[in-house]
Amino acid sequence: MECLTISNLCKTYIINKRQNNVLRNINLTIQSGEMVAVMGPSGSGKTTLLYTVSGMDEATAGKVDFFGKELTKLSANEMSDLRLQEMGFVFQQMYMLKNLSVYDNIILPAYQVAKGNKKQSREQIKERAKMLMQKLGISEVSDNAVTEVSGGQLQRACICRSLINQPKIIFADEPTGALNKQNSIDVMNELTRINEEGTSILLVTHDMKVASKCERILYIEDGDIRDEISLGKCHVGDNLPARERKLNDWLIKLGW
Ligand SMILES: Nc1ncnc2c1ncn2[C@@H]1O[C@H](COP(=O)(O)OP(=O)(O)OP(=O)(O)O)[C@@H](O)[C@H]1O
Ligand SMILES: [Mg+2]
């Protein structure tokens, strides 16, 4: 089943009357349950792609379908409901509320879902948040204010929050960007596990090790998908160095 179908997507920013065509005619399909990485040079349009596809930013032209629903036709309210209930976000600028604890930030999206649409009871939300914090290793800082945790802990809290409403897809922009090697491996293992349970994942990364755990890698340059490579699903016990070598050879060919 197709999760996301992106057709002829364009995004143009205009600054001081100068036009910047950041996304030029992107065509892309993400299957339900797929885990896809987006790589490419700085400024090539990776973050813009995530923002535009998820309706955080308006497309200049083109069409995005999410499980057959045309996102580009939804009203702002419909789009924000859908984002809240069906999508999870782990972004570079982390939209955490500074005066709330880690735990409260994580459960907030669950309470924001309109009453009639609630997927989870209060008790289920609490249990799920606890389970997620435990898996990501941040239970000890659950009651800390988000200003009182490390960058890596905050990043992991963001992942917990993105998962609280059991989304169909997760958009992640450099989800391991602020993490050390071990935390980065933990986060990727967690994302892989979530993906195995059926959640689609579209992530942006500069890290080859992170990308090599994904099923398919896209290379964006100047707002265009220049090439892609399929490595197949990554399972526990897979030959990671072999996947990394294959990816590395491909990236070198692209001049990365
Ligand atoms: N809100 C905005 N208004 C105007 N221009 C923008 C805006 N956001 C991004 N841009 C421009 O769009 C281009 C692509 O930016 P984008 O953030 O998508 O790049 P990126 O591939 O994510 O880069 P990085 O790897 O450095 O995060 C850049 O030239 C940037 O200056
Ligand atoms: Mg970016």
Side-chain angles (χ1 to χ4, degrees):
M1 202 197 315
E2 290 180 2
C3 170
L4 266 181
T5 315
I6 301 164
S7 324
N8 305 316
L9 187 70
C10 298
K11 177 69 187 175
T12 300
Y13 287 116
I14 297 171
I15 291 183
N16 295 333
K17 295 189 184 156
R18 282 203 30 209
Q19 208 172 302
N20 188 0
N21 301 318
V22 177
L23 299 179
R24 308 161 189 247
N25 221 40
I26 299 268
N27 287 289
L28 169 65
T29 299
I30 309 284
Q31 298 294 334
S32 179
E34 241 193 328
M35 181 157 174
V36 178
V38 181
M39 298 189 83
S42 178
S44 56
K46 303 180 297 297
T47 296
T48 306
L49 178 67
L50 291 198
Y51 270 73
T52 311
V53 165
S54 59
M56 308 259 286
D57 206 342
E58 212 175 310
T60 308
K63 189 159 108 76
V64 179
D65 289 291
F66 180 68
F67 290 101
K69 197 179 271 182
E70 195 175 334
L71 297 187
T72 25
K73 279 198 175 145
L74 298 183
S75 69
N77 276 341
E78 288 169 328
M79 189 63 224
S80 75
D81 280 348
L82 189 130
R83 262 203 307 269
L84 184 62
Q85 293 177 47
E86 317 279 8
M87 298 174 172
F89 296 92
V90 184
F91 275 179
Q92 274 172 334
Q93 301 149 314
M94 297 179 267
Y95 304 98
M96 291 292 218
L97 296 180
K98 292 202 167 46
N99 48 343
L100 294 184
S101 69
V102 166
Y103 173 79
D104 286 334
N105 266 289
I106 290 171
I107 61 168
L108 191 64
Y111 285 124
Q112 283 172 323
V113 175
K115 275 206 175 74
N117 283 328
K118 280 242 190 305
K119 289 183 194 169
Q120 317 175 81
S121 70
R122 268 171 187 272
E123 206 45 45
Q124 283 170 322
I125 293 168
K126 197 171 151 190
E127 283 310 310
R128 185 167 170 78
K130 279 190 175 163
M131 178 273 287
L132 290 169
M133 286 189 296
Q134 176 138 39
K135 285 222 165 93
L136 275 291
I138 53 167
S139 303
E140 326 80 89
V141 295
S142 160
D143 295 328
N144 290 36
V146 287
T147 48
E148 297 165 349
V149 298
S150 76
Q153 287 168 332
L154 189 60
Q155 193 85 328
R156 285 178 278 156
C158 281
I159 294 174
C160 292
R161 189 187 50 178
S162 78
L163 289 169
I164 194 77
N165 283 339
Q166 298 164 285
K168 293 202 175 89
I169 187 165
I170 292 179
F171 296 101
D173 197 356
E174 294 283 352
T176 61
L179 305 182
N180 67 18
K181 203 168 158 197
Q182 189 53 49
N183 284 163
S184 166
I185 291 169
D186 292 345
V187 162
M188 278 315 285
N189 286 345
E190 193 53 29
L191 287 176
T192 307
R193 202 189 55 76
I194 292 154
N195 176 249
E196 274 166 3
E197 289 172 356
T199 308
S200 311
I201 298 181
L202 183 59
L203 66 83
V204 169
T205 186
H206 287 284
D207 186 334
M208 234 187 52
K209 281 195 188 307
V210 166
S212 71
K213 300 235 170 96
C214 295
E215 208 168 336
R216 186 152 65 103
I217 299 98
L218 313 172
Y219 193 83
I220 294 205
E221 206 171 63
D222 293 331
D224 206 8
I225 300 177
R226 190 171 143 202
D227 201 2
E228 65 169 76
I229 187 171
S230 278
L231 298 178
K233 272 236 187 285
C234 188
H235 302 287
V236 186
D238 272 3
N239 185 347
L240 294 179
R243 292 176 73 95
E244 282 167 28
R245 269 197 305 277
K246 199 167 165 190
L247 179 59
N248 189 46
D249 291 348
W250 177 71
L251 286 170
I252 286 173
K253 253 196 317 205
L254 290 167
W256 188 61

mmCIF file of all heavy atoms in Angstrom, residues 24-45:
data_model
loop_
_atom_site.group_PDB
_atom_site.id
_atom_site.type_symbol
_atom_site.label_atom_id
_atom_site.label_comp_id
_atom_site.label_asym_id
_atom_site.label_seq_id
_atom_site.Cartn_x
_atom_site.Cartn_y
_atom_site.Cartn_z
ATOM 1 N N ARG A 24 12.478 21.152 -6.923
ATOM 2 C CA ARG A 24 12.130 21.240 -8.335
ATOM 3 C C ARG A 24 11.554 19.927 -8.818
ATOM 4 O O ARG A 24 12.285 19.006 -9.118
ATOM 5 C CB ARG A 24 13.385 21.535 -9.174
ATOM 6 C CG ARG A 24 14.183 22.723 -8.699
ATOM 7 C CD ARG A 24 15.586 22.618 -9.291
ATOM 8 N NE ARG A 24 16.449 23.616 -8.687
ATOM 9 C CZ ARG A 24 16.954 24.654 -9.364
ATOM 10 N NH1 ARG A 24 16.724 24.797 -10.645
ATOM 11 N NH2 ARG A 24 17.712 25.518 -8.745
ATOM 12 N N ASN A 25 10.242 19.865 -8.831
ATOM 13 C CA ASN A 25 9.595 18.722 -9.444
ATOM 14 C C ASN A 25 9.990 17.376 -8.835
ATOM 15 O O ASN A 25 10.521 16.505 -9.511
ATOM 16 C CB ASN A 25 9.928 18.723 -10.940
ATOM 17 C CG ASN A 25 8.717 18.344 -11.742
ATOM 18 O OD1 ASN A 25 7.612 18.778 -11.413
ATOM 19 N ND2 ASN A 25 8.879 17.508 -12.739
ATOM 20 N N ILE A 26 9.695 17.234 -7.549
ATOM 21 C CA ILE A 26 10.015 15.981 -6.857
ATOM 22 C C ILE A 26 8.898 14.959 -7.087
ATOM 23 O O ILE A 26 7.722 15.259 -6.873
ATOM 24 C CB ILE A 26 10.157 16.228 -5.339
ATOM 25 C CG1 ILE A 26 11.286 17.223 -5.047
ATOM 26 C CG2 ILE A 26 10.304 14.911 -4.579
ATOM 27 C CD1 ILE A 26 12.647 16.633 -4.787
ATOM 28 N N ASN A 27 9.268 13.774 -7.519
ATOM 29 C CA ASN A 27 8.334 12.654 -7.630
ATOM 30 C C ASN A 27 8.867 11.513 -6.783
ATOM 31 O O ASN A 27 10.013 11.106 -6.948
ATOM 32 C CB ASN A 27 8.189 12.205 -9.088
ATOM 33 C CG ASN A 27 7.387 13.205 -9.885
ATOM 34 O OD1 ASN A 27 6.172 13.329 -9.707
ATOM 35 N ND2 ASN A 27 8.069 13.958 -10.735
ATOM 36 N N LEU A 28 8.002 11.024 -5.890
ATOM 37 C CA LEU A 28 8.495 10.046 -4.918
ATOM 38 C C LEU A 28 7.317 9.300 -4.302
ATOM 39 O O LEU A 28 6.290 9.903 -4.000
ATOM 40 C CB LEU A 28 9.258 10.820 -3.826
ATOM 41 C CG LEU A 28 9.670 10.093 -2.554
ATOM 42 C CD1 LEU A 28 10.673 9.015 -2.874
ATOM 43 C CD2 LEU A 28 10.272 11.092 -1.566
ATOM 44 N N THR A 29 7.483 7.984 -4.152
ATOM 45 C CA THR A 29 6.461 7.204 -3.458
ATOM 46 C C THR A 29 7.102 6.483 -2.289
ATOM 47 O O THR A 29 8.160 5.872 -2.437
ATOM 48 C CB THR A 29 5.826 6.173 -4.415
ATOM 49 O OG1 THR A 29 5.225 6.882 -5.492
ATOM 50 C CG2 THR A 29 4.750 5.366 -3.714
ATOM 51 N N ILE A 30 6.489 6.596 -1.123
ATOM 52 C CA ILE A 30 6.933 5.845 0.050
ATOM 53 C C ILE A 30 5.858 4.801 0.327
ATOM 54 O O ILE A 30 4.695 5.134 0.536
ATOM 55 C CB ILE A 30 7.067 6.754 1.301
ATOM 56 C CG1 ILE A 30 7.909 7.998 1.013
ATOM 57 C CG2 ILE A 30 7.598 5.964 2.503
ATOM 58 C CD1 ILE A 30 9.387 7.785 0.940
ATOM 59 N N GLN A 31 6.249 3.544 0.316
ATOM 60 C CA GLN A 31 5.291 2.472 0.598
ATOM 61 C C GLN A 31 5.030 2.394 2.097
ATOM 62 O O GLN A 31 5.895 2.723 2.905
ATOM 63 C CB GLN A 31 5.836 1.121 0.105
ATOM 64 C CG GLN A 31 6.075 1.034 -1.393
ATOM 65 C CD GLN A 31 4.804 1.124 -2.213
ATOM 66 O OE1 GLN A 31 3.709 0.785 -1.751
ATOM 67 N NE2 GLN A 31 4.926 1.605 -3.450
ATOM 68 N N SER A 32 3.856 1.921 2.433
ATOM 69 C CA SER A 32 3.532 1.720 3.837
ATOM 70 C C SER A 32 4.541 0.731 4.430
ATOM 71 O O SER A 32 4.787 -0.325 3.864
ATOM 72 C CB SER A 32 2.107 1.177 3.918
ATOM 73 O OG SER A 32 1.770 0.958 5.237
ATOM 74 N N GLY A 33 5.151 1.099 5.553
ATOM 75 C CA GLY A 33 6.129 0.224 6.199
ATOM 76 C C GLY A 33 7.550 0.395 5.716
ATOM 77 O O GLY A 33 8.453 -0.284 6.195
ATOM 78 N N GLU A 34 7.767 1.312 4.793
ATOM 79 C CA GLU A 34 9.128 1.522 4.288
ATOM 80 C C GLU A 34 9.924 2.430 5.222
ATOM 81 O O GLU A 34 9.361 3.242 5.960
ATOM 82 C CB GLU A 34 9.060 2.201 2.910
ATOM 83 C CG GLU A 34 9.688 1.372 1.807
ATOM 84 C CD GLU A 34 9.908 2.143 0.514
ATOM 85 O OE1 GLU A 34 9.115 3.056 0.184
ATOM 86 O OE2 GLU A 34 10.869 1.810 -0.174
ATOM 87 N N MET A 35 11.243 2.270 5.186
ATOM 88 C CA MET A 35 12.136 3.152 5.941
ATOM 89 C C MET A 35 13.130 3.746 4.949
ATOM 90 O O MET A 35 13.977 3.039 4.405
ATOM 91 C CB MET A 35 12.866 2.344 7.013
ATOM 92 C CG MET A 35 13.797 3.160 7.858
ATOM 93 S SD MET A 35 14.029 2.296 9.432
ATOM 94 C CE MET A 35 15.265 3.287 10.208
ATOM 95 N N VAL A 36 12.991 5.041 4.707
ATOM 96 C CA VAL A 36 13.737 5.696 3.637
ATOM 97 C C VAL A 36 14.580 6.836 4.204
ATOM 98 O O VAL A 36 14.109 7.603 5.052
ATOM 99 C CB VAL A 36 12.761 6.253 2.570
ATOM 100 C CG1 VAL A 36 13.512 6.979 1.461
ATOM 101 C CG2 VAL A 36 11.911 5.122 1.980
ATOM 102 N N ALA A 37 15.824 6.922 3.753
ATOM 103 C CA ALA A 37 16.698 8.028 4.168
ATOM 104 C C ALA A 37 16.868 8.999 3.012
ATOM 105 O O ALA A 37 16.876 8.602 1.849
ATOM 106 C CB ALA A 37 18.060 7.485 4.585
ATOM 107 N N VAL A 38 16.994 10.262 3.355
ATOM 108 C CA VAL A 38 17.295 11.291 2.363
ATOM 109 C C VAL A 38 18.664 11.849 2.692
ATOM 110 O O VAL A 38 18.908 12.289 3.814
ATOM 111 C CB VAL A 38 16.259 12.441 2.412
ATOM 112 C CG1 VAL A 38 16.582 13.495 1.353
ATOM 113 C CG2 VAL A 38 14.850 11.907 2.220
ATOM 114 N N MET A 39 19.569 11.789 1.716
ATOM 115 C CA MET A 39 20.903 12.365 1.897
ATOM 116 C C MET A 39 21.109 13.440 0.838
ATOM 117 O O MET A 39 20.300 13.586 -0.070
ATOM 118 C CB MET A 39 21.980 11.278 1.771
ATOM 119 C CG MET A 39 21.858 10.187 2.824
ATOM 120 S SD MET A 39 23.276 9.057 2.832
ATOM 121 C CE MET A 39 24.446 9.976 3.842
ATOM 122 N N GLY A 40 22.206 14.156 0.958
ATOM 123 C CA GLY A 40 22.501 15.194 -0.028
ATOM 124 C C GLY A 40 23.221 16.350 0.640
ATOM 125 O O GLY A 40 23.212 16.467 1.861
ATOM 126 N N PRO A 41 23.830 17.226 -0.169
ATOM 127 C CA PRO A 41 24.613 18.329 0.385
ATOM 128 C C PRO A 41 23.769 19.274 1.239
ATOM 129 O O PRO A 41 22.547 19.294 1.116
ATOM 130 C CB PRO A 41 25.110 19.074 -0.858
ATOM 131 C CG PRO A 41 24.894 18.162 -2.007
ATOM 132 C CD PRO A 41 23.820 17.216 -1.633
ATOM 133 N N SER A 42 24.435 20.051 2.078
ATOM 134 C CA SER A 42 23.761 21.070 2.878
ATOM 135 C C SER A 42 23.116 22.090 1.937
ATOM 136 O O SER A 42 23.724 22.510 0.958
ATOM 137 C CB SER A 42 24.799 21.758 3.770
ATOM 138 O OG SER A 42 24.182 22.763 4.502
ATOM 139 N N GLY A 43 21.869 22.426 2.222
ATOM 140 C CA GLY A 43 21.156 23.400 1.401
ATOM 141 C C GLY A 43 20.484 22.813 0.170
ATOM 142 O O GLY A 43 19.930 23.543 -0.650
ATOM 143 N N SER A 44 20.521 21.480 0.040
ATOM 144 C CA SER A 44 19.955 20.865 -1.175
ATOM 145 C C SER A 44 18.435 20.748 -1.131
ATOM 146 O O SER A 44 17.808 20.422 -2.131
ATOM 147 C CB SER A 44 20.588 19.488 -1.403
ATOM 148 O OG SER A 44 20.408 18.674 -0.260
ATOM 149 N N GLY A 45 17.818 20.958 0.053
ATOM 150 C CA GLY A 45 16.355 20.939 0.133
ATOM 151 C C GLY A 45 15.768 19.801 0.952
ATOM 152 O O GLY A 45 14.563 19.572 0.921
#
